[in-house]
């Protein structure tokens, strides 16, 4: 039924659907010229990798913890619009998109909107130059903030041995046997943690399954259990959304199916790209899609899960 809907273009621009149930590959389907070896541009779903690598770096002692403040990494007085509030912005505030920077990717007029960042020569400088918002407190209010994730990538690049790219490869990708992937880069040639980390659908599935496994892969603890627990916890409420939350660069929502609620944590990217981890079901789902900037992108992903995958699994 799902294949028919995609083939008849009732579900548009879907490129893959993968489901892993009880640790086993249940569904692996490709559409619209994609195949098992296709590297998908999943846009902001790639942000979540910055959180994963941050958890590993904290565990390795290269970063103290997520409560470390920006002023321990940068001399903030050297940047424009210095305000004492900047000194107390924590890594956690950037992970949960709740810093006091005057930022909003949702508001096109916001100084910190990501579209203002991309044309600049130095995205980290752009971010640290931003003014603070008098109405915001650090950790107080969620507002989608791509530029803050770029700063997290810069912190990792400066503090991880041999830089972010080699560290991520050695500590995360090689243990998962992920060898075919492609970063995008900032103007400073640092991996762009804002998104568009391209991988195959099966490798995204390994990444999601790593969280389902409490950070273990092939009997090796890749990601600390505590970091997985913090990530699969509702850290901050998303204003204006019905019972939706955000954690450490992962989204949270509850899916109601046949009167029962199923909590999920997921990575999300423009176009309807989602890597979904069910908290109380042994299920992860990967949906890749090219419906970029289309209003139906994420609604289609929700429909695939609710109308096709869950009925097949929860018979």
């Amino acid at each position: 039924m799902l294949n028919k809907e995609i083939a008849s273009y009732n579900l548009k621009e879907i490129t893959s659907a993968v489901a892993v149930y009880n640790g086993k590959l249940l569904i692996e389907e490709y559409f619209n010229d994609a195949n098992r070896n296709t590297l998908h541009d999943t846009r902001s779903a790639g942000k979540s990798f910055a959180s994963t690598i941050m958890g590993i770096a904290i565990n390795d002692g290269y970063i103290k913890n997520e409560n470390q403040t920006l002023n321990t990494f940068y001399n903030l007085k050297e940047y424009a619009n210095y305000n004492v509030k900047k000194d107390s912005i924590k890594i956690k505030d950037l992970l949960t998109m709740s810093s006091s920077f005057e930022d909003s990717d949702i508001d096109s007029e916001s100084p910190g909107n990501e579209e203002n960042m991309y044309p600049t020569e130095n995205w980290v400088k752009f971010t640290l130059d931003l003014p603070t918002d008098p109405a915001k407190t650090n950790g107080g209010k969620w507002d989608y903030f791509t530029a803050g994730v770029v700063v997290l990538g810069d912190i990792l690049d400066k503090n991880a041995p041999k830089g972010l790219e080699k560290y991520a490869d050695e500590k995360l990708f090689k243990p998962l046997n992920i060898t075919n992937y492609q970063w995008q880069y900032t103007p400073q040639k640092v991996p762009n943690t804002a998104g568009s980390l391209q991988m195959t659908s099966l490798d995204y599935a390994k990444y999601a399954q790593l969280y389902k496994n409490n950070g273990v892969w092939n009997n090796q603890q890749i990601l600390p259990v505590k970091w997985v627990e913090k990530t699969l916890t509702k850290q901050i409420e998303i204003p204006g959304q019905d019972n939706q939350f955000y954690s450490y660069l992962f989204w949270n929502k509850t899916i109601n199916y046949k009167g029962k609620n199923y909590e999920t944590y997921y990575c999300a990217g423009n176009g309807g790209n989602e890597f979904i981890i069910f908290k109380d079901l042994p299920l992860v789902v990967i949906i890749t899609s090219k419906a970029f900037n289309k209003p139906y992108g994420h609604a289609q992903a929700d429909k695939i899960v609710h109308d096709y995958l869950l009925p097949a699994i929860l018979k």
Side-chain angles (χ1 to χ4, degrees):
M1 286 170 65
L2 174 60
N3 287 7
K4 185 180 169 188
E5 289 297 286
I6 292 170
S8 58
Y9 219 64
N10 291 326
L11 293 169
K12 303 174 178 68
E13 299 167 278
I14 306 295
T15 49
S16 74
V18 171
V20 178
Y21 190 67
N22 274 326
K24 293 187 171 69
L25 189 59
L26 183 71
I27 295 165
E28 181 194 4
E29 297 280 351
Y30 300 98
F31 314 95
N32 295 311
D33 301 323
N35 60 49
R36 182 176 261 196
N37 298 314
T38 300
L39 297 182
H40 302 274
D41 180 1
T42 53
R43 303 290 174 95
S44 283
K47 282 182 168 70
S48 304
F49 286 89
S51 169
T52 310
I53 299 159
M54 183 62 74
I56 295 169
I58 288 171
N59 191 58
D60 284 347
Y62 299 118
I63 309 282
K64 282 180 190 170
N65 55 52
E66 68 267 38
N67 293 314
Q68 209 168 343
T69 50
L70 282 188
N71 63 353
T72 62
F73 300 106
Y74 304 99
N75 182 357
L76 296 171
K77 291 177 181 173
E78 290 179 353
Y79 293 88
N81 297 302
Y82 173 72
N83 182 299
V84 71
K85 262 162 79 168
K86 284 189 188 181
D87 289 331
S88 56
I89 294 172
K90 300 171 181 174
I91 286 174
K92 183 176 180 177
D93 301 329
L94 300 181
L95 287 168
T96 56
M97 297 199 179
S98 60
S99 72
S100 60
F101 281 117
E102 195 173 336
D103 61 71
S104 177
D105 290 353
I106 298 157
D107 177 6
S108 60
E109 300 298 311
S110 170
N113 186 288
E114 65 176 317
E115 297 305 328
N116 298 327
M117 173 183 76
Y118 294 124
T120 67
E121 292 179 358
N122 187 318
W123 298 352
V124 174
K125 183 179 185 302
F126 165 85
T127 310
L128 299 179
D129 277 344
L130 287 171
T132 52
D133 185 334
K136 285 184 178 178
T137 58
N138 291 317
K141 177 177 174 282
W142 182 89
D143 213 332
Y144 198 76
F145 184 35
T146 291
V149 188
V150 172
V151 171
L152 291 175
D154 188 62
I155 289 170
L156 285 165
D157 192 60
K158 286 182 164 67
N159 289 275
K162 299 179 189 171
L164 169 56
E165 187 166 4
K166 287 185 177 174
Y167 186 72
D169 189 63
E170 183 184 324
K171 303 294 290 195
L172 180 61
F173 301 143
K174 274 184 182 158
L176 294 176
N177 196 26
I178 294 173
T179 56
N180 185 20
Y181 64 91
Q182 181 61 58
W183 286 104
Q184 284 192 338
Y185 297 90
T186 70
Q188 277 60 51
K189 306 290 186 283
V190 172
N192 178 17
T193 44
S196 295
L197 174 54
Q198 297 184 28
M199 288 185 180
T200 67
S201 299
L202 287 184
D203 285 343
Y204 288 131
K206 289 180 190 176
Y207 173 70
Q209 186 67 33
L210 178 67
Y211 280 84
K212 198 68 214 162
N213 293 353
N214 282 319
V216 174
W217 194 263
N218 282 343
N219 299 316
Q220 186 183 349
Q221 192 77 45
I222 309 295
L223 190 57
V225 174
K226 280 186 180 175
W227 194 260
V228 174
E229 287 172 357
K230 287 174 182 176
T231 306
L232 304 185
T233 298
K234 297 172 180 176
Q235 295 284 353
I236 191 164
E237 191 165 7
I238 297 174
Q241 297 293 325
D242 184 31
N243 198 32
Q244 291 196 27
F245 295 82
Y246 202 73
S247 72
Y248 286 1
L249 300 178
F250 277 73
W251 301 77
N252 163 274
K253 69 180 168 193
T254 299
I255 297 171
N256 185 278
Y257 178 71
K258 289 189 173 177
K260 191 171 179 185
N261 287 333
Y262 297 94
E263 195 177 343
T264 68
Y265 287 83
Y266 64 106
C267 320
N270 188 331
N273 292 284
E274 294 190 10
F275 320 151
I276 307 162
I277 302 155
F278 280 78
K279 194 159 187 190
D280 302 313
L281 286 175
L283 175 66
V284 302
V285 174
I286 307 298
I287 296 164
T288 62
S289 167
K290 288 184 172 180
F292 300 125
N293 302 316
K294 307 281 176 59
Y296 52 78
H298 287 293
Q300 286 189 152
D302 293 345
K303 186 177 174 66
I304 288 170
V305 171
H306 187 276
D307 292 1
Y308 300 99
L309 296 183
L310 287 181
I313 289 162
L314 301 175
K315 290 172 186 172

